[in-house]
Amino acid sequence: MHVTVCSDRFASGVIAAKNRYSGSDPLGHQRDWVWRGWQVRYAFRPAESDDCGVPMLLLHGFGASIGHWQHNVSAFSQHHSVYALDLVGFGASEKSTTTYNTDIWTAQVYEF
């Protein structure tokens, strides 16, 4: 495993060393994050290059999920670490009984 010298902060301040992705999932590493008590799914794929470019955060549209990015993440990860976030109520994230609106999704993205 090749590990670069830079790292990324993600999901409530956890630090992970970047390493080359060699898995079969085109989205990268899928992980769960608990936000305000709700389970949230996100994917992370480290940059292929060692230049540690600015990370990218991919957000799906209404009625979608992180799966919609599966054909884009590989190209984006050539020069950027890529995160794809399933908003609460979508994809593999928890479907809570809360009122969904842009305020809650804005807070979720900000706290991610």
Side-chain angles (χ1 to χ4, degrees):
M1 174 190 323
H2 172 79
V3 177
T4 62
V5 294
C6 57
S7 64
D8 285 319
R9 280 195 176 274
F10 63 91
S12 69
V14 177
I15 299 176
K18 289 179 19 174
N19 55 323
R20 300 236 189 271
Y21 179 71
S22 60
S24 60
D25 187 338
L27 290 170
H29 306 284
Q30 291 196 37
R31 300 174 177 159
D32 291 321
W33 166 52
V34 177
W35 177 71
R36 298 186 181 184
W38 299 313
Q39 174 270 324
V40 174
R41 175 64 50 91
Y42 72 97
F44 168 70
R45 186 154 172 180
E48 297 291 325
S49 65
D50 292 332
D51 65 4
C52 300
V54 176
M56 295 180 73
L57 176 60
L58 306 177
L59 301 173
H60 60 74
F62 191 74
S65 70
I66 60 176
H68 287 231
W69 296 109
Q70 66 182 332
H71 300 295
N72 306 99
V73 171
S74 179
F76 290 148
S77 70
Q78 290 178 18
H79 301 287
H80 304 273
S81 292
V82 179
Y83 296 87
L85 180 64
D86 263 344
L87 298 173
V88 170
F90 296 96
S93 289
E94 187 171 341
K95 282 53 168 185
S96 67
T97 58
T98 192
T99 300
Y100 296 113
N101 57 41
T102 56
D103 291 336
I104 195 165
W105 294 314
T106 301
Q108 179 188 359
V109 171
Y110 179 80
E111 293 177 28
F112 184 75

